Amino acid sequence: MRPQYTFPLNAEKLQVEEFGILVAKNFSLPAPLGEILYNRGITELSEVQDFLYPQLSMLPSPYTMKGMGQAVECILDTIKAEKPIFIHGDYDVDGITATVLLTSFFKEVKIKGKVYSYIPNRLIENYGLSVSSINNLVALSGQAQGGLLISVDCGITSVKEVAYAKELGLRVIITDHHEPKEILPDAEAIVNPKQNGCEFPFSLLSGVGVVFFLVMALRKALVESDILTIASLPNLKKYLDLVALGTVADVVPLVGVNRILVRAGLEVLSASNRIGIFYLCDLSGTQGRQLQPEDIAFKLAPRINASGRLGFPEVSFNLLSADDGEQGLKCAQQLELMNTQRKQLEFNALADIEGKCNQQFQAGASGLVVYQENCHPGVIGILASRMTDSFGLPVIIFTNDNTGVCGQHIKGSGRSVPGVNLLQLLQQCKLLIEQFGGHSMAAGLTIKKANLKDFILKFQDT
C-alpha cells in the first residue's frame, strides 16, 4: 500500500536536512536517504513517492506521444487489408528486444497478414535502415512490393532509406528514441519522444520502451476496431521482461517512466517464464533469485549483445523468441560461447588502444580518437566505454569498415562523459563525416579514412 503524507506550505524551498526529516516522517525511512534523494534532484514528496513506489498505473497515455495515432491507424489499415508487416530492428539488446516484442505481439493477436522481422548484421551492413537491409527484409516475403515497414530502435535519420522503401511500394512507420536531425524521414508516422512538438511527458525512453507504448495503443485500438475481443487481448505485462532488458542495457536513466517499466519488468524477468531467459540465467549464475539492474548490465546484456557484436544477431532473437526448451538451451549455450569470444577480442586490442589513448591524454587532448586497424568492429563500443571510464574524456575508436567501399571508409563508436554532448561534438565535425547518429552519451559514425587526421583535429578543437 502506498503511504499517505502531508505537504508543508514551503515544501519546494526546504533545505536538504529538513527534507530528509520530512522523508523520514512520511515514509518511515532514514533521514539521510531523503537527503540523498534531495541532492539527486528529488525535492518534492510526490517525487519521492513516485521514485520509491513506481506502479504501472502511473504510465502516461501512449497517445500523448506525437505520431502515435497515425502509426496505429496505419497498422490497423495494414491488418485489415491482410498485407505483410516488415519489422526492422537493430543488433544491440535494445533493438533485439524491441523486435522480439513487436513480432511476438503480432503473433499473439493472430493477425491474418504475414509478419517478417529482420536484424542487420553489423559486420557487413550499416547501422539501422539501409538499402541492403530493406531489400533483405522484403525478400523474406518473396514479393516485389507492398505492405508496411516498421522500424524499431532506428530510422529517425534514415531519410534516403525511407524514400527507397516507399519506392518499393511500402508504407513506413518509424519508431525510435535516438536524436532527430533537422530533416525527418517522409514516413507515414514517426513515433519518437525526442521529436519536436511531442507532448509525451518523458523523453528518455529506450527503443523497446517506445515499442511498448506503441503496443499499448495498438492493443486498445484492436478492440475498438472489433478486430479483437477484450477476452482475447494479451496481457502486456508479460513483455516487460524484454523492456527491462533493453532499457537497462541501453543505459538510459532509470528515472520516471523508465523506472516504472524496469521495476515491473524485473519482476517478470526474475520469474524466468521466457524459456530462453531461464537457460541464460542458469548459465550466467543469476537463476533462482530476484534480479536487479546490475544483473542485466553485467550478466545478461553482455551475453545477449555478444551475438550482434560477432555478426549473428539472430541467435539472441531466437533465444528471446524460443518456445521450447531445446531451442532455448541451444541459444543460451551459443551466447555463452560468443561472450567468451567477445572478451578475448576485447582483450587482444585493449593494451594497444589504452596506450594510444594515454599518449593523447598526456598531450592534453580534450577528446581521444584512436584508429585501431585490426580491431574487431563488434567490440569498439565496449573499448570506447572503457577508455572513457579510464580517462574521463569523450572517446571515439575507429576500425576498418567492411560495409562500404573497401579500404576507403572507417567506422567508429564513441562514448562521452556527463556534461559533454557527443552528438553536438559530431555535429560540429559533420563536414568530415559520412554518417552518424546516436545519443548525447554514445554514437556511431563512418568517415573516409583519408579524413581521419582532419577529423581528429576538428574533434579535439571543438
Side-chain angles (χ1 to χ4, degrees):
M1 180 179 295
R2 301 173 67 187
Q4 300 295 316
Y5 52 84
T6 57
F7 292 94
L9 294 177
N10 63 341
E12 71 281 2
K13 299 180 180 179
L14 288 173
Q15 297 298 314
V16 59
E17 297 87 355
E18 296 172 310
F19 189 76
I21 294 172
L22 277 174
V23 169
K25 176 182 178 181
N26 286 283
F27 293 90
S28 300
L29 295 171
L33 177 59
E35 296 177 13
I36 292 172
L37 293 175
Y38 188 94
N39 288 326
R40 291 188 177 183
I42 299 175
T43 58
E44 301 284 348
L45 290 181
S46 59
E47 294 175 337
V48 174
Q49 177 162 303
D50 291 347
F51 186 84
L52 295 177
Y53 305 97
Q55 297 182 16
L56 292 175
S57 60
M58 301 177 184
L59 291 176
S61 168
Y63 283 100
T64 59
M65 200 176 296
K66 186 177 180 179
M68 186 64 76
Q70 296 94 317
V72 169
E73 182 178 354
C74 188
I75 294 173
L76 289 178
D77 288 345
T78 304
I79 292 175
K80 292 175 182 177
E82 299 183 14
K83 291 184 177 181
I85 295 177
F86 302 95
I87 302 171
H88 188 297
D90 189 27
Y91 43 63
D92 64 359
V93 179
D94 191 18
I96 292 172
T97 53
T99 306
V100 173
L101 196 164
L102 191 54
T103 304
S104 299
F105 177 79
F106 284 132
K107 179 180 178 180
E108 187 168 7
V109 298
K110 300 178 180 179
I111 64 173
K112 293 182 179 180
K114 297 288 187 179
V115 178
Y116 305 91
S117 61
Y118 185 79
I119 299 172
N121 184 328
R122 76 188 302 158
L123 304 185
I124 59 176
E125 294 179 291
N126 289 320
Y127 158 80
L129 290 172
S130 67
V131 170
S132 66
S133 65
I134 292 172
N135 286 337
N136 289 336
L137 177 53
V138 173
L140 295 175
S141 71
Q143 64 180 47
Q145 61 180 352
L148 173 65
L149 171 63
I150 306 176
S151 76
V152 297
D153 192 34
C154 63
I156 193 64
T157 61
S158 302
V159 176
K160 294 180 180 179
E161 292 77 11
V162 169
Y164 175 75
K166 296 181 73 172
E167 290 176 3
L168 297 180
L170 294 170
R171 304 178 77 186
V172 182
I173 294 173
I174 300 295
T175 75
D176 202 349
H177 71 124
H178 295 96
E179 294 290 341
K181 294 182 180 179
E182 292 182 8
I183 301 176
L184 296 175
D186 184 23
E188 270 67 24
I190 297 177
V191 183
N192 183 336
K194 287 190 173 74
Q195 63 180 316
N196 290 334
C198 184
E199 297 181 357
F200 192 76
F202 188 79
S203 64
L204 301 176
L205 290 173
S206 61
V208 69
V210 174
V211 169
F212 183 76
F213 278 95
L214 173 63
V215 168
M216 284 178 62
L218 187 56
R219 180 181 183 268
K220 179 181 179 182
L222 288 170
V223 173
E224 294 175 344
S225 302
D226 295 324
I227 296 175
L228 290 179
T229 63
I230 294 178
S232 65
L233 284 178
N235 184 350
L236 298 187
K237 187 174 181 180
K238 71 176 71 174
Y239 298 130
L240 286 174
D241 56 349
L242 298 172
V243 178
L245 284 169
T247 300
V248 174
D250 221 51
V251 202
V252 291
L254 296 185
V255 297
V257 173
N258 285 340
R259 189 170 180 83
I260 297 171
L261 294 172
V262 170
R263 182 182 182 185
L266 287 171
E267 295 177 3
V268 180
L269 193 64
S270 298
S272 295
N273 293 325
R274 198 174 296 272
I275 190 66
I277 291 296
F278 174 87
Y279 285 112
L280 194 65
C281 287
D282 188 49
L283 291 175
S284 64
T286 58
Q287 186 61 268
R289 60 182 172 85
Q290 178 66 39
L291 296 177
Q292 300 298 324
E294 293 79 6
D295 295 312
I296 296 177
F298 300 110
K299 296 287 187 179
L300 302 180
R303 289 167 168 81
I304 297 172
N305 252 332
S307 66
R309 294 189 185 283
L310 298 185
F312 302 97
E314 65 276 4
V315 176
S316 291
F317 178 89
N318 292 337
L319 173 103
L320 297 175
S321 304
D323 53 12
D324 66 79
E326 182 177 356
Q327 182 186 16
L329 176 58
K330 179 181 178 181
C331 291
Q333 291 173 334
Q334 288 177 315
L335 291 182
E336 190 71 16
L337 177 60
M338 289 178 182
N339 193 46
T340 300
Q341 295 172 339
R342 184 272 303 172
K343 290 178 181 179
Q344 186 61 50
L345 290 169
E346 183 183 337
F347 177 79
N348 292 344
L350 181 60
D352 197 14
I353 289 176
E354 189 170 31
K356 292 177 180 179
C357 284
N358 186 57
Q359 187 177 19
Q360 295 179 31
F361 180 78
Q362 295 299 328
S366 59
L368 310 179
V369 181
V370 170
Y371 169 52
Q372 191 72 5
E373 182 177 8
N374 296 318
C375 186
H376 192 285
V379 298
I380 56 176
I382 300 176
L383 291 165
S385 181
R386 285 184 177 273
M387 295 303 100
T388 298
D389 292 341
S390 296
F391 296 98
L393 293 173
V395 176
I396 295 177
I397 297 178
F398 286 102
T399 191
N400 291 335
D401 182 10
N402 298 321
T403 65
V405 180
C406 182
Q408 293 188 13
H409 293 85
I410 55 178
K411 64 176 8 176
S413 186
R415 299 293 185 270
S416 193
V417 293
V420 180
N421 189 314
L422 184 57
L423 277 185
Q424 290 181 2
L425 294 181
L426 295 179
Q427 184 67 27
Q428 296 177 50
C429 306
K430 65 180 181 180
L431 296 180
L432 297 167
I433 300 175
E434 301 297 303
Q435 180 186 29
F436 72 98
H439 312 277
S440 62
M441 297 291 288
L445 67 158
T446 300
I447 69 172
K448 291 181 178 178
K449 189 175 180 180
N451 289 338
L452 178 60
K453 290 184 179 179
D454 290 338
F455 175 83
I456 293 175
L457 291 175
K458 182 67 174 177
F459 183 79
Q460 294 180 340
D461 188 48
T462 55

